[in-house]
Amino acid sequence: MLPSSPSSGPSSMGRRALIGAAIASAPAVLGLSTEASAQTSTQASAQAAAPTSASPSARKKPRALPGGGDLGPNVLVFDPSTPGIQARLDEVFRQQESAQFGTGRYALLFKPGTYHGLNAQLGFYTSIAGLGLSPDDTTINGDVTVDAGWFNGNATQNFWRSAENLALVPVNGTNRWAVAQAAPFRRMHIRGGLNLSPTGYGWASGGYIADSRIDGQVGPYSQQQWYTRDSAIGSWLNGVWNMVFSGVEGAPAQSFPNPPYTTLDTTPVSREKPFLYLQGNDFRVFLPEKRTNARGVTWGNGTPRGTSLPLTQFYVARPGVTAATLNEALTQGLHLLLTPGIYHLDRPIQVNRPNTVVLGLGYATLIPDNGATAVQVADVDGVRLAGFLVDAGPVNSATLVEIGPRGASRGHSANPITVQDVFVRIGGAGAGKATTSMVINSRHTIVDHTWVWRADHGEGVGWETNRADYGVVVNGDDVLATGLFVEHFNKYDVQWFGQRGRTIFFQNEKAYDAPNQAAIQNGSIKGYAAYRVGDGVTSHEGWGLGSYCYYNVNPSIVQHHGFAAPVRSGVRFHNLLVVSLGGNGQYECVINDTGAPTSGTSTVPSTVVSYP
């Protein structure tokens, strides 16, 4: 353990500095919708969502909020002729490199064109993206780099940063992207190789790639786990514990547990994240269409398939705006674009209109101050939440993100709700509490890459200080999770009560800071499972799921199993693992009463290839 240090740097190495010697040695185009038709659709939706029971005085129209506008000072837009690009990139990096729990938030946007000799190093809360419809519209002859010099070569805390929609020609042929959780790599074209480890091949705990093409080899080296979806790669070098692929051209063959590759030929359902782009001089937001049995990138033939909205249909929010104003904009029929910064909420953002988009830039952060829920979505079609962080406030929230009300039952298979790169944090930046972080009640919801984290280091951290019993609770039927990272909750990290649920890739750590065995006792069972399927569920399936324990406060704690599920033929799991990190706590089984116990201090996974 390292001694405490200022919040701008690592306050504790914790488990993330102990991975073990085993790791160290592991060497088709549709046209865009017209602005007119999109506007008509938005107006109709707004009229359908308008309240009908208000009194005459309450129905008096407030002054209309404007759509569109400037993106604010923390969105930096470059074109190839902009002077001093490298100096500006370096300035942002110096500020953000070690600001793990700082308040800075930045989006670095590059207009279409070709850029030469750049190295964009990304620190915390920094997003870089191209502004074309295809990654190949914006080419950087240079690198977009994440390394771990700030943390002595340890990449396990390289959270909260992203790269999207760029083509890179790396200077030395290989780009370095040594990240941990909450660091998506989307719609990228690497004309060369991709190295996922830090300089010196230090410890690393990531990660997520989607809709990307890497022409050369992907080398994870020391990465514990990784999920790659709907992409194309030249080759994949190695695996440590849990490497999962779905819909990836060039993926290695299924071979879990040795090497630890879980490979699905396609992704059952996917819809890529909305993204900002330029049409001429005007900003628009592209909304990719849904794909079934998806494989490979969406942009291979140029323009992706989907529809487009002008920025004038978005309320461009700045930090300091109230929840009441955000809700007024939504009621008015606008979508929300959250520019980089921190937003304090005294009530939930209420998303009631079908097909509403709430898109964050630069890790825009929502903090409910008085125990409120941050975001509530009605049981309606097509809502897209993407690209923001929800940070629990000091007063306990019953929930932080709710998708659909309790008892939601409408089908949304044709036009699902999507939750993408929406991250949740309890503690770390200060005391925070929430009983349940994310609740999914609406059917057919797609949760595509989330990290739901009860902090194990930083400020406001302790077994009761940042109390959070449950991470993700799924009540809706037919929900799909692709890239589910949930860690350190006081009780269950994931509970799944809906029918026909599916998870492709799960990464978990049990809470480090349990004081003793009694604190985690679950009736007669030792510890709460990381991933529990409810007793009444008759159909569920998961691929490539891992749970780790690192009970560093009390290494004698025993966790009976990582996974719990009813024993039924319709409830199936493929390629499960549990790991005891350096012998700090032990698992007795992998799932239910099946699977060998983890042994000693060897940090070697115990696996179950198929269950039941």
Side-chain angles (χ1 to χ4, degrees):
M1 300 294 291
L2 287 181
S4 294
S5 58
S7 60
S8 62
S11 60
S12 167
M13 290 182 76
R15 188 283 307 167
R16 298 185 184 278
L18 190 142
I19 295 181
I23 297 175
S25 63
V29 182
L30 287 183
L32 305 180
S33 65
T34 66
E35 182 168 336
S37 65
Q39 183 67 49
T40 301
S41 173
T42 301
Q43 290 170 344
S45 298
Q47 290 166 2
T52 58
S53 59
S55 66
S57 61
R59 284 199 299 267
K60 186 177 180 181
K61 265 192 171 181
R63 183 174 60 85
L65 293 166
D70 185 80
L71 299 181
N74 286 9
V75 176
L76 310 182
V77 181
F78 305 106
D79 66 47
S81 65
T82 302
I85 298 176
Q86 186 65 56
R88 192 69 179 100
L89 297 175
D90 291 346
E91 180 185 355
V92 173
F93 178 65
R94 280 192 298 272
Q95 178 181 318
Q96 299 301 117
E97 180 183 12
S98 58
Q100 182 171 179
F101 298 112
T103 57
R105 304 286 187 273
Y106 288 92
L108 312 173
L109 305 182
F110 286 76
K111 294 182 180 180
T114 302
Y115 300 77
H116 298 282
L118 297 181
N119 181 15
Q121 299 182 81
L122 298 188
F124 288 97
Y125 314 109
T126 305
S127 298
I128 189 169
L131 288 171
L133 269 176
S134 165
D136 289 326
D137 293 341
T138 309
T139 298
I140 294 177
N141 289 302
D143 297 84
V144 172
T145 301
V146 177
D147 208 340
W150 74 280
F151 201 22
N152 302 315
N154 178 351
T156 59
Q157 292 183 23
N158 280 350
F159 313 137
W160 305 305
R161 62 201 76 197
S162 67
E164 300 185 43
N165 206 29
L166 291 166
L168 301 180
V169 184
V171 169
N172 70 355
T174 300
N175 190 76
R176 185 181 303 278
W177 185 254
V179 298
Q181 288 79 8
F185 197 80
R186 291 182 180 270
R187 295 176 53 76
M188 296 289 288
H189 185 187
I190 308 301
R191 298 176 192 164
L194 187 63
N195 183 344
L196 303 179
S197 72
T199 299
Y201 304 99
W203 296 306
S205 178
Y208 175 91
I209 292 172
D211 200 23
S212 293
R213 182 180 297 278
I214 294 92
D215 293 344
Q217 184 176 75
V218 180
Y221 299 103
S222 55
Q223 283 285 358
Q224 292 170 256
Q225 69 279 315
W226 201 275
Y227 175 50
T228 307
R229 178 182 65 70
D230 299 352
S231 294
I233 61 175
S235 61
W236 190 272
L237 178 63
N238 73 294
V240 176
W241 291 339
N242 190 29
M243 302 286 156
V244 180
F245 309 83
S246 67
V248 178
E249 298 169 356
Q254 168 70 38
S255 59
F256 187 90
N258 187 26
Y261 300 147
T262 298
T263 302
L264 285 73
D265 192 55
T266 61
T267 304
V269 187
S270 62
R271 188 173 68 188
E272 299 303 329
K273 176 176 172 282
F275 62 92
L276 197 66
Y277 76 103
L278 278 172
Q279 186 176 76
N281 293 319
D282 298 325
F283 283 110
R284 299 180 71 93
V285 173
F286 194 83
L287 308 178
E289 71 175 14
K290 186 190 78 168
R291 297 199 292 171
T292 56
N293 299 316
R295 182 173 172 84
V297 300
T298 63
W299 46 270
N301 296 319
T303 307
R305 292 178 177 269
T307 57
S308 172
L309 296 171
L311 195 63
T312 52
Q313 291 187 21
F314 285 77
Y315 178 70
V316 178
R318 299 278 196 93
V321 70
T322 65
T325 299
L326 295 172
N327 286 330
E328 183 182 332
L330 291 169
T331 300
Q332 191 176 301
L334 294 169
H335 307 274
L336 296 182
L337 186 73
L338 305 173
T339 64
I342 295 175
Y343 297 75
H344 286 270
L345 307 175
D346 64 352
R347 67 195 73 177
I349 297 173
Q350 299 273 5
V351 183
N352 297 324
R353 192 178 70 253
N355 302 309
T356 298
V357 180
V358 180
L359 176 62
L361 301 179
Y363 287 82
T365 301
L366 308 177
I367 303 178
D369 289 324
N370 58 355
T373 298
V375 180
Q376 291 179 321
V377 178
D379 193 24
V380 295
D381 276 354
V383 170
R384 306 184 196 221
L385 306 182
F388 57 88
L389 170 64
V390 176
D391 208 351
V395 178
N396 186 73
S397 294
T399 58
L400 292 173
V401 178
E402 294 180 8
I403 308 302
R406 190 173 187 84
S409 59
R410 295 177 184 173
H412 304 291
S413 60
N415 188 11
I417 297 168
T418 48
V419 182
Q420 298 176 286
D421 301 346
V422 173
F423 307 118
V424 176
R425 178 173 67 195
I426 300 96
K433 292 186 177 183
T435 303
T436 304
S437 290
M438 184 181 292
V439 180
I440 310 294
N441 292 317
S442 286
R443 294 181 62 194
H444 301 104
T445 298
I446 300 173
V447 181
D448 176 46
H449 189 227
T450 188
W451 184 39
V452 180
W453 185 58
R454 174 181 168 265
D456 60 275
H457 62 273
E459 300 296 325
V461 170
W463 185 249
E464 296 295 344
T465 306
N466 61 329
R467 182 83 194 187
D469 283 351
Y470 309 110
V472 175
V473 175
V474 180
N475 296 314
D477 294 340
D478 307 292
V479 171
L480 171 65
T482 51
L484 184 61
F485 299 73
V486 188
E487 297 188 302
H488 305 154
F489 285 84
N490 295 77
K491 293 185 178 179
Y492 291 111
D493 298 276
V494 172
Q495 292 192 93
W496 206 299
F497 301 111
Q499 299 288 357
R500 296 175 299 282
R502 292 174 290 184
T503 295
I504 304 173
F505 181 89
F506 171 68
Q507 187 263 330
N508 165 263
E509 291 174 351
K510 295 304 299 175
Y512 298 172
D513 54 348
N516 49 50
Q517 188 74 43
I520 66 161
Q521 194 67 18
N522 180 16
S524 61
I525 300 172
K526 299 172 186 174
Y528 291 82
Y531 187 109
R532 174 201 174 202
V533 178
D535 293 342
V537 174
T538 58
S539 177
H540 187 91
E541 196 158 10
W543 297 262
L545 281 62
S547 177
Y548 321 149
C549 75
Y550 181 67
Y551 288 116
N552 63 330
V553 172
N554 189 334
S556 69
I557 290 175
V558 174
Q559 176 83 23
H560 181 63
H561 49 217
F563 303 90
V567 183
R568 296 192 176 100
S569 60
V571 179
R572 296 173 291 173
F573 289 92
H574 315 272
N575 305 342
L576 301 172
L577 69 140
V578 295
V579 182
S580 169
L581 301 170
N584 290 271
Q586 298 292 337
Y587 290 93
E588 293 179 325
C589 304
V590 178
I591 179 168
N592 294 343
D593 300 320
T594 297
T598 55
S599 58
T601 60
S602 60
T603 314
V604 173
S606 178
T607 62
V608 169
V609 173
S610 181
Y611 186 87

